[in-house]
Amino acid sequence: MSHGRPVVENGVAMTGQYGPLWEAFWTDLPKRTGEAFWDCAPSVGAATHVELFAPFIDRTLPFVDVGCGTGTQTAYFGGLFDRVIGVDIADAALAFAGRHNARDNVEYRKLDVLDLDEVTAFHERFGDVNVYLSGVIHQLSPADRLACARALATLAGAGGCVFDQELTPASYQYMQELIADAGDQLPKLDRVSLYFRIGLQPAAGEAELESIFAAADFDVIQAGDLMLRTTETMADGTGLDLPTRYVVARPKTVAPTAA
């Protein structure tokens, strides 16, 4: 049963667009907090990331959560920073975030980070910003990964900083093994697999993630390994954690608005 999803073949949306696929995912997802595979509590998500990037950022700048989804992490950031903006490509995700994770100093806006006009207009409106994203780049094609990193540099400008956490090949292999062995017992992971075949492209490895940011003219200030807490529960009652790689990076110069 398709549930209205765009056709996916070999892990790639055949529409050639990410928006329709993500819109379908969020529309079809049960409208409850924590239903998305990655929508963990901020105490084991954003709170652990803040410790890594906070020493490097200008806290007077707006804080932008790219790929905010339901806004669970975004609302947490609203308690730490004066102005927070959650952006996503899917209207259904933004609608949920606005209903369930609203704060006076948090706003939600639609933004396609692969649309150079939208990215440029966003920077013109908000100026330099600090950027946070978790699990966005690994879903893109290799060519689009570099374009995305360049867009992040445009958003950050001369004064902002970027934190990015992405799945690794080891996490993909582990998820594939879990699905093969007990996919029907792991409904949240199984849902991700149905839509994305565990990512639109192979995961970003350790060297690749850092090289993407370097190629986009970033200085990688800090990099390392992290575990990603998911909302899935294993048969023994423990949570499912996945290995990831993270970077904290700052643009060397303001990125050009053309690939």
Side-chain angles (χ1 to χ4, degrees):
M1 184 165 56
S2 69
H3 298 285
R5 294 191 293 271
V7 175
V8 178
E9 183 174 303
N10 297 325
V12 179
M14 300 306 290
T15 59
Q17 300 177 6
Y18 302 104
L21 189 60
W22 280 105
E23 193 68 55
F25 174 84
W26 287 113
T27 299
D28 196 32
L29 195 72
K31 303 302 186 289
R32 297 186 297 270
T33 298
E35 285 295 327
F37 177 65
W38 50 81
D39 199 18
C40 66
S43 60
V44 292
T48 64
H49 302 154
V50 168
E51 297 177 2
L52 297 170
F53 66 73
F56 305 106
I57 68 172
D58 179 351
R59 299 180 70 94
T60 67
L61 297 180
F63 188 93
V64 177
D65 182 1
V66 172
C68 66
T70 62
T72 302
Q73 314 304 316
T74 323
Y76 174 83
F77 289 127
L80 301 177
F81 304 103
D82 291 339
R83 187 175 192 184
V84 176
I85 307 152
V87 301
D88 204 281
I89 199 172
D91 289 316
L94 294 168
F96 185 98
R99 288 194 301 270
H100 298 279
N101 285 301
R103 293 182 67 112
D104 290 343
N105 63 328
V106 174
E107 61 182 290
Y108 296 100
R109 304 177 65 89
K110 190 170 185 177
L111 178 67
D112 181 351
V113 292
L114 296 179
D115 187 315
L116 295 175
D117 291 337
E118 289 188 20
V119 169
T120 300
F122 189 98
H123 184 262
E124 289 175 350
R125 175 164 185 168
F126 296 102
D128 294 352
V129 300
N130 294 308
V131 181
Y132 170 89
L133 64 161
S134 178
V136 173
I137 286 180
H138 78 91
Q139 288 283 355
L140 304 176
S141 71
D144 287 337
R145 291 175 182 182
L146 180 56
C148 179
R150 286 175 171 162
L152 300 178
T154 298
L155 293 174
C161 195
V162 176
F163 173 90
D164 181 26
Q165 175 191 31
E166 301 292 341
L167 297 179
T168 67
S171 55
Y172 273 34
Q173 180 178 353
Y174 182 41
M175 288 188 291
Q176 289 163 354
E177 293 171 354
L178 288 173
I179 290 169
D181 293 341
D184 58 346
Q185 301 174 41
L186 301 169
K188 295 176 183 178
L189 175 58
D190 193 45
R191 180 183 292 275
V192 172
S193 176
L194 286 172
Y195 277 86
F196 305 109
R197 303 287 177 86
I198 307 303
L200 300 178
Q201 296 291 336
E206 173 181 330
E208 182 183 358
L209 182 60
E210 292 163 45
S211 66
I212 288 169
F213 278 86
D217 209 23
F218 277 87
D219 280 323
V220 176
I221 304 167
Q222 184 170 285
D225 298 316
L226 280 176
M227 295 302 290
L228 172 69
R229 175 65 55 86
T230 76
T231 61
E232 190 65 273
T233 302
M234 305 288 280
D236 62 2
T238 60
L240 170 57
D241 294 342
L242 295 172
T244 70
R245 188 73 177 171
Y246 81 90
V247 297
V248 180
R250 181 178 291 116
K252 294 179 183 178
T253 59
V254 177
T257 56

